[in-house]
Amino acid sequence: AGPGYGGCLEGVDAEALLEMGVGADVVMAVVRPMHGMAMAEEEEREAKRKAGLEVSEAIHASWLPENMRALYERGMGEAKGLGVELYEAFWSHRLYDLYVPKARYEAEVSRLRKDVARIEKGWKAGKERAAAQTADVERMKRAASDLDAERERQEKHCTAVRRKIEGSRNAFLSGLDAGAVEKSTASDLLEKCVYARCMISPEDASYCAKFLRTLVSVDTPSLPALSIYDSLVRSSAGLLYS
């Protein structure tokens, strides 16, 4: 077996990548899956601690802590409207961390269970059970059960991520000059984070919207929410009618 995705990142120097011209947004896209694996593992370890179970040594380590400062400084450049904690919170998470598509989970589970019920109804009516059909029923039952378990797991994960963001909210803008927050935070958050990421994929665009909503819903101190949304509306109107 190979070293896996995490093993491939060992020894990666964020500053060297940035000096070679690799953008901070691209570097974060490369390392984000590993960070997600580390978060998931830590959540599992914490659940075991609470249950009084033996906790094994961590396999995955987040690549971000020792490299975030270099990413932040190069990614932000001369911009001074964001703290490193806010920059890290934005770039280190993904849509899976903030949003549970409950309706999609429920629709797929409902579809699977209806298919199972339809086939089993035929059996009760005297239809012959084909071996392949029996295997399909078992497969669909497992899939429905797995989706229910995955939805519950993601809900717990999103709750943990939100709690983490809420716990860090006071640090997002606290170290900045009040004038910088008033003049630059809205434009810097949009330029260095939202606009840089929302064009990558539809999932990233949805993530940007959910992240901004999360910042507002956790009552991030000093966040210029009205200025951010005003700038978004103005830029969107410009794109639509240009």
Side-chain angles (χ1 to χ4, degrees):
Y5 192 82
C8 294
L9 291 175
E10 290 182 6
V12 173
D13 185 334
E15 194 163 2
L17 287 176
L18 293 168
E19 287 176 354
M20 287 189 290
V22 181
D25 55 338
V26 177
V27 175
M28 290 300 296
V30 171
V31 303
R32 196 177 298 119
M34 182 60 188
H35 181 66
M37 291 165 65
M39 280 200 302
E41 184 178 49
E42 182 53 37
E43 287 170 14
E44 185 177 342
R45 285 159 53 83
E46 182 60 26
K48 287 183 177 179
R49 289 190 197 98
K50 290 181 178 179
L53 301 175
E54 183 179 352
V55 180
S56 58
E57 188 175 342
I59 298 174
H60 304 291
S62 177
W63 180 87
L64 289 176
E66 61 188 55
N67 294 282
M68 179 48 67
R69 176 57 64 176
L71 285 165
Y72 169 77
E73 290 177 353
R74 296 304 179 89
M76 289 294 292
E78 297 299 317
K80 303 298 181 185
L82 301 180
V84 64
E85 294 86 359
L86 178 53
Y87 188 83
E88 178 178 357
F90 177 85
W91 282 106
S92 63
H93 293 107
R94 50 189 173 146
L95 186 61
Y96 180 89
D97 302 324
L98 299 182
Y99 172 66
V100 181
K102 293 181 181 179
R104 291 182 62 185
Y105 275 118
E106 291 169 358
E108 184 61 17
V109 169
S110 177
R111 183 190 67 80
L112 289 167
R113 288 178 174 158
K114 284 179 180 177
D115 286 345
V116 169
R118 175 178 52 79
I119 295 172
E120 290 182 338
K121 184 178 180 180
W123 290 343
K124 289 178 182 178
K127 272 191 178 182
E128 183 179 350
R129 294 193 184 197
Q133 200 174 43
T134 301
D136 282 344
V137 166
E138 292 304 314
R139 176 185 57 78
M140 288 188 285
K141 285 181 177 179
R142 285 195 302 271
S145 178
D146 289 346
L147 283 171
D148 276 336
E150 172 57 29
R151 178 181 57 79
E152 183 179 348
R153 184 161 51 247
Q154 189 182 0
E155 286 175 343
K156 290 180 179 178
H157 171 70
C158 287
T159 298
V161 170
R162 180 184 174 84
R163 192 179 298 121
K164 180 180 178 183
I165 291 175
E166 193 167 9
S168 303
R169 64 184 177 177
N170 291 333
F172 286 163
L173 301 171
S174 63
L176 305 179
D177 178 80
V181 172
E182 182 179 351
K183 294 179 182 179
S184 306
T185 292
S187 58
D188 288 350
L189 180 60
L190 294 176
E191 180 184 346
K192 301 299 183 180
C193 296
V194 175
Y195 295 154
R197 186 166 178 179
C198 71
M199 300 298 289
I200 297 174
S201 71
E203 180 178 328
D204 284 289
S206 295
Y207 168 80
C208 292
K210 298 296 182 186
F211 184 83
L212 291 178
R213 182 176 179 178
T214 299
L215 288 182
V216 173
S217 66
V218 299
D219 295 325
T220 302
S222 302
L223 182 73
L226 289 178
S227 295
I228 292 170
Y229 285 123
D230 179 65
S231 297
L232 278 172
V233 171
R234 290 173 183 272
S235 62
S236 298
L239 289 172
L240 287 171
Y241 296 107
S242 61

